[in-house]
Amino acid sequence: MYDLVGGRAAWTVLGLPTEGSVGDRRRISQFVVQPGIVPIEATIADIVADGAQPEWPVAVLGDGRVLLGALQSTARRLPSQTPVQRAMQPAPATIRPDVRIERVIEQLTNDDLDHVFVTTASGKLVGLAVRELLHV
Amino acid sequence: MSVAPVRLGWWLSSEEHDPRDLVRHARDAEVAGFETAMISDHLRPWVPSQANAAHVWTVLGAIAGATDAMEVGTGVTAMVHRSSPIAIAHAAATAAVMFEGRFFLGVGTGERLNEQAFGRRWPRAGERRERLAEGVGLIRQLCAGENVNHRGRHWAVEDLRLATLPATPPRIFVAAGGKRSAALAGEIGDGMIGVAPDGRLVDVFRSVSPRADAPVVGQLHVSIAADLDAARDDAWRWWPNGVVPPNLLGELARPEEFEAVAEAIGPAGIDKAVLCTTDAAPVIAAIDRFVGAGFDTVYLHQIGPDQARLTAMAADELFAHYASGP
């Protein structure tokens, strides 16, 4: 059950179910993986990375799982008491969940990138799109 | 799973220091605990007041003899007009022998400041990247002991095999200031050199590099003094080029031009280019930003003559801090 607030564009940007020729199957929201996460007020010792690959960036989250920053895997080399806020890269690049998978692969390839965070229009983390895990 | 610690490196600024002092600074840094150092390769200083720009390979030979275990690399050597791949391969192979495995070659697309004296046109960045890519391929072949015959778009080598060769060719790190040079670093380099904690460039480098553990090293300018005003004064006196916009760094031809641009901008912006401080906490915070952005080694460049202040801070606080983790 969903409340449609903000019109159809906002609905699809949130990655919610749609009808039509594209269909949910081809949207990146269906293909993301979960990166390691850590709250912004935490320290390096608080990184939770269950199931995440060590080379993936860690998502730094605020209230409501809003993505505020990213830490590269090298951050694990820092002393465990290091504040996350001090080491993070603020405002990493993101894409919306409704972007079609072909477009994401094309964009990552053109930009020479392995991955990109997927967030809703309001900044909530959906997951991480990893190029090597995406197949048309 | 064990995690390698953060590495701190020492920056030897050829533009600021007499070559004999550079050798002494390298030795002092090693004694203080630094395991790695980089030395700039300039034909001219950035600004006239720096008053130095020694021939880097001559200084490297002396540093090889004055240090025992510290790794040292160039930061960075360009191949535009001043140095050909043959000359660089010759020098790098000899340096690698002298350092007995402790040498690495840092390369980049260069600055007009160090090339204009040869009286030739200054190529655009894209052409300089082409020259660099072709040149690095030749350096790898020559340092590996191959007999090289090459007539390419930018360089020619005719029937050359170097005689003095290291047991293992030196690693080649490539400087990157933008996404295209970061991609090139991933393509042709064994590592990347950056000057800002920009995780986007690290992402591009890692995406292109075939080596998942390829080193990414950064440079951090610091001015550490007894009080903040003195730190700012030192930064402005010895490193006014720090305020010159990045897109001009490669384009100005003479030290006097850098000085004029810096004077026009004024000292108010020096804090953005140089970390001016009296204590270790801001230095640690700045290093953390590099590491959080994907850098595994951060080279500290203490601006001005008071180099001992950084060796003391490192020995007393920085090494202990990073030894405590992860």
Side-chain angles (χ1 to χ4, degrees), chain B residues 48-246:
Chain B
S49 60
Q50 289 169 344
N52 282 283
H55 189 258
V56 73
W57 300 104
T58 311
V59 182
L60 279 165
I63 292 173
T67 55
D68 296 320
M70 190 164 70
E71 169 196 68
V72 182
T74 54
V76 293
T77 298
M79 48 202 92
V80 184
H81 304 307
R82 180 167 64 112
S83 303
S84 74
I86 293 175
I88 295 170
H90 190 200
T94 302
V97 170
M98 297 288 287
F99 276 94
E100 299 178 318
R102 297 186 282 127
F103 174 76
F104 64 92
L105 176 64
V107 297
T109 54
E111 300 95 14
R112 190 176 179 187
L113 173 72
N114 295 307
E115 308 288 342
Q116 188 65 36
F118 292 81
R120 300 182 205 160
R121 73 178 175 88
W122 176 236
R124 303 285 297 173
E127 183 184 330
R128 300 201 311 272
R129 283 193 294 272
E130 286 180 8
R131 296 172 79 92
L132 179 63
E134 187 179 334
V136 164
L138 293 170
I139 291 168
R140 287 195 189 281
Q141 288 179 276
L142 289 166
C143 286
E146 295 179 27
N147 190 77
V148 178
N149 272 293
H150 174 87
R151 189 162 294 278
R153 182 169 180 189
H154 300 290
W155 305 109
V157 181
E158 190 171 303
D159 192 22
L160 175 65
R161 186 198 308 273
L162 293 178
T164 297
L165 289 165
T168 305
R171 291 181 300 166
I172 300 177
F173 292 4
V174 179
K179 287 185 177 178
R180 278 177 284 202
S181 52
L184 181 64
E187 188 182 327
I188 66 171
D190 302 311
M192 186 183 93
I193 302 167
V195 294
D198 188 342
R200 295 170 302 174
L201 300 188
V202 179
D203 275 343
V204 171
F205 170 75
R206 294 230 175 273
S207 169
V208 176
S209 173
R211 281 186 52 197
D213 61 346
V216 178
V217 308
Q219 181 193 30
L220 174 63
H221 304 292
V222 298
S223 179
I224 306 163
D227 63 71
L228 207 49
D229 286 342
R232 289 184 179 126
D233 288 347
D234 284 349
W236 179 245
R237 179 177 177 191
W238 299 106
W239 203 251
N241 47 294
V243 302
V244 175

Side-chain angles (χ1 to χ4, degrees), chain A residues 72 74 76-78 86 89 112 131, chain B residues 4 197 199 288 291-292 294 326:
Chain A
Q72 299 282 353
T74 44
R76 292 185 171 87
R77 300 178 181 215
L78 292 170
R86 192 165 81 193
Q89 289 272 288
D112 282 324
R131 183 166 58 164
Chain B
D288 289 351
V291 178

Side-chain angles (χ1 to χ4, degrees), chain A residues 43-61:
Chain A
T43 66
I44 295 296
D46 300 315
I47 294 174
V48 176
D50 297 338
Q53 295 297 308
E55 67 270 20
W56 294 348
V58 172
V60 179
L61 303 179

Side-chain angles (χ1 to χ4, degrees), chain B residues 29-42:
Chain B
E30 183 179 58
V31 170
F34 285 91
E35 299 173 4
T36 181
M38 288 182 85
I39 181 167
S40 47
D41 180 359
H42 270 234

